[in-house]
Amino acid sequence: MREIKTIVTTAGRPDDVSMALAAFACNELGAFFEPRKKRSIRKISEEHQAHVIVAGKNRFEYYALGTNEPFFFHPNSAAFRLKRVARGEEEPFLEAAQLEIGDSLLDCTLGLAADAMLAAYTVGGKGRVVGLEANPNVAFIVKQGVQTYDTTELPLTACMRHIEVVQDEATRYLKKLPDKSFDVVYMDPMFEEIIDEATNFEALRIAGEHASLTDEWVCEAKRVAKKRVVLKAHFRSEWFAKYQFQRYERLTAKFHYGVMNTSN
């Protein structure tokens, strides 16, 4: 199958800033630049049969070939989840991960980095959070987002600056790591079943990689995790039983967390 190329263009009325951002994206992604020339993104994508990265004044957007809606970075649910944590309220992901100040977490499926932000907030400046994203375009968008998003109105999301975004596939990256090199390894594969309420993830679902949990992935995660492996999956998933995760059931939620302790 022919690999679909990626091209970079600007917003409808480019200025010096967006042109500079477009040049930066071309360099980072090894993509070529296509002048906008008043064309729609859909037309540019169809003419070149390519994915399109748009360099705007305030953000980058990614249009996968054949889609109308862009994927772009936003703190999404992390902002209000962090506020709840700051108030001392329960947070299911953090309950499962049991992170402590100074811990390290490897997020194998970064997505929009919401869980990684909670992890970074919890482990603090002395801790470490690394997030993996297999799709180069999605990794680029999220990496730029966590590094440059204006957090002045969302002070709790400043922790996003501590997230290290790595473009790589989870199992391949895990194989490169020494035993027990992260305290916690977290896996949140794309759900086997669509969750109707999760419409804000639709652009990511279309643009991102769709990885399924495998024996090799779980085995490598167990080897790398010093304390525990955490899995997030649909409540009907067979993965919890198949891989012997201790499930944290949530009666009103359509996804659950599972934990596998590796410290023994």
Side-chain angles (χ1 to χ4, degrees), residues 127-245:
R128 185 186 183 202
V129 175
V130 176
L132 306 180
E133 173 51 54
N135 184 292
N137 295 331
V138 174
F140 171 77
I141 295 290
V142 176
K143 182 176 182 178
Q144 299 312 308
V146 298
Q147 291 178 351
T148 64
Y149 189 89
D150 184 359
T151 63
T152 53
E153 294 184 5
L154 301 167
L156 289 176
T157 60
C159 55
M160 73 175 72
R161 301 286 192 257
H162 300 300
I163 299 170
E164 303 170 41
V165 179
V166 176
Q167 190 271 305
D168 207 344
E169 186 273 328
T171 303
R172 181 170 58 232
Y173 186 82
L174 285 163
K175 285 182 174 182
K176 303 174 188 176
L177 298 175
D179 294 355
K180 309 295 183 184
S181 49
F182 280 86
D183 291 301
V184 179
V185 175
Y186 177 51
M187 306 182 295
D188 176 15
M190 285 290 186
F191 294 123
E192 306 115 294
E193 300 187 37
I194 300 295
I195 296 179
D196 293 336
E197 291 88 338
T199 54
N200 56 326
F201 288 101
E202 187 61 23
L204 176 60
R205 186 182 301 281
I206 295 170
E209 301 293 328
H210 293 236
S212 181
L213 204 62
T214 64
D215 295 354
E216 186 178 31
W217 188 355
V218 174
C219 182
E220 289 297 325
K222 288 167 62 178
R223 180 184 63 79
V224 169
K226 186 186 303 182
K227 295 182 179 180
R228 65 191 60 85
V229 179
V230 178
L231 170 68
K232 179 182 178 181
H234 193 277
F235 76 95
R236 282 195 285 258
S237 176
E238 297 180 354
W239 290 337
F240 296 109
K242 178 178 180 180
Y243 295 111
Q244 299 182 330
F245 281 89

Side-chain angles (χ1 to χ4, degrees), residues 6 18 43 58 60 63 79 86 95 105 115 151 169 190:
T6 296
S18 57
K43 186 172 183 179
N58 301 314
F60 289 102
Y63 290 80
E95 287 182 1
L105 176 133
D115 292 323
T151 63
E169 186 273 328
M190 285 290 186

